[in-house]
Amino acid sequence: MEHIKNKLAFLGKDLVSQIIQVSFVKEIPKGTEILREEQYVKVLPIVLKGLVKVFSRFKERELLLYYILPNESCVMSLSASLNNEPSRIYAITEEDSEILFIPTDRIPNWIKSFPRLNNLFYQQYNLRYIDLLNTIHHVLFDKMDKRLYDYLKEKIALTNKQELKITHNQIANELGTVREVISRVMKKLEIEGKIKQEANGIKILKW
């Protein structure tokens, strides 16, 4: 548990000690759903290592809302747990991840007793609010070629890889569109010399 203490040191020794006593850590493979829509949230995730992506579903379409990076949590899960409401989002690991799960029934008292935890959640709310505003802006005002290009650059930067291994269908699901649109726009970006599609994955040529 020493590495967890180091990861969470910013919360203070007393709170970290209590968290470790009641929480558990799991190594979760890439592509694993860790939270379902309509699920009541009983444990709150804090990502220690890896990357998690959070989605919302609108009828038959999905939309990527934001990513959860190391030392971050999911404020929409926090909100659902505090209000005892079913989750409106679902979350999937983008990379192999190490995640700390904290029982949500402990959080209300900790928020009152430990200001650093309260500050963490306020920061997370601010981050997610900005993420959601950016997502709305992209959907409403950006053409699909810009949305797709920015999406590819962000995902490559977050995963710290030279090439992105992902299908057109997966991209379409994350951007809330259909595969045919993505395939057409990918070809356009390739003709413009911005990306290259290879057997090993998608490579960004212009940043």
Side-chain angles (χ1 to χ4, degrees):
M1 286 291 183
E2 194 62 34
H3 75 294
I4 298 177
K5 291 180 181 179
N6 293 333
K7 287 276 188 179
L8 302 181
F10 63 94
L11 292 175
K13 290 183 179 179
D14 291 341
L15 176 56
V16 171
S17 177
Q18 292 191 37
I19 288 174
I20 289 175
Q21 288 178 26
V22 298
S23 304
F24 62 94
V25 176
K26 290 187 70 174
E27 298 278 350
I28 302 180
K30 175 182 178 179
T32 302
E33 187 176 61
I34 63 170
L35 178 66
R36 303 186 310 275
E37 274 187 308
E38 302 301 322
Q39 174 184 341
Y40 282 87
V41 181
K42 301 301 181 184
V43 288
L44 184 71
I46 293 183
V47 176
L48 301 176
K49 182 178 66 177
L51 189 65
V52 174
K53 52 190 177 183
V54 176
F55 292 85
S56 184
R57 185 178 284 114
F58 302 92
K59 295 184 179 180
E60 296 181 358
R61 294 285 179 88
E62 300 171 335
L63 183 65
L64 175 65
L65 299 179
Y66 53 82
Y67 293 96
I68 306 175
L69 281 64
N71 295 337
E72 293 183 355
S73 186
C74 180
V75 292
M76 295 187 76
S77 297
L78 173 65
S79 177
S81 68
L82 293 178
N83 293 307
N84 194 31
E85 296 174 346
S87 174
R88 297 182 181 181
I89 52 93
Y90 65 100
I92 299 173
T93 50
E94 173 74 9
E95 297 288 314
D96 293 343
S97 300
E98 182 183 30
I99 300 178
L100 176 72
F101 291 95
I102 302 174
T104 55
D105 59 357
R106 302 297 184 100
I107 292 175
N109 286 334
W110 285 345
I111 288 176
K112 295 176 184 177
S113 303
F114 299 98
R116 289 188 185 184
L117 184 62
N118 213 13
N119 290 338
L120 171 66
F121 289 138
Y122 275 125
Q123 291 169 2
Q124 295 294 296
Y125 271 112
N126 185 55
L127 282 173
R128 300 312 164 216
Y129 180 68
I130 293 172
D131 286 339
L132 292 174
L133 285 181
N134 288 336
T135 297
I136 292 169
H137 184 277
H138 283 312
V139 171
L140 292 180
F141 301 111
D142 289 341
K143 293 181 178 180
M144 182 53 72
D145 56 347
K146 176 171 170 49
R147 285 185 62 200
L148 177 55
Y149 189 42
D150 288 347
Y151 159 90
L152 294 173
K153 290 191 293 183
E154 179 185 30
K155 190 175 284 285
I156 285 178
L158 287 172
T159 56
N160 196 29
K161 295 178 179 177
Q162 297 298 316
E163 295 179 331
L164 186 61
K165 295 184 179 180
I166 189 170
T167 67
H168 289 190
N169 194 58
Q170 288 175 295
I171 296 172
N173 287 339
E174 296 196 4
L175 291 181
T177 184
V178 295
R179 182 188 57 77
E180 291 79 7
V181 171
I182 294 301
S183 296
R184 183 173 67 251
V185 178
M186 288 286 286
K187 188 64 176 178
K188 179 177 182 290
L189 293 176
E190 196 165 26
I191 291 172
E192 292 173 351
K194 294 180 178 179
I195 67 168
K196 186 175 182 180
Q197 299 184 82
E198 301 176 327
N200 292 331
I202 301 165
K203 182 181 292 185
I204 300 293
L205 299 180
K206 292 182 180 179
W207 287 88

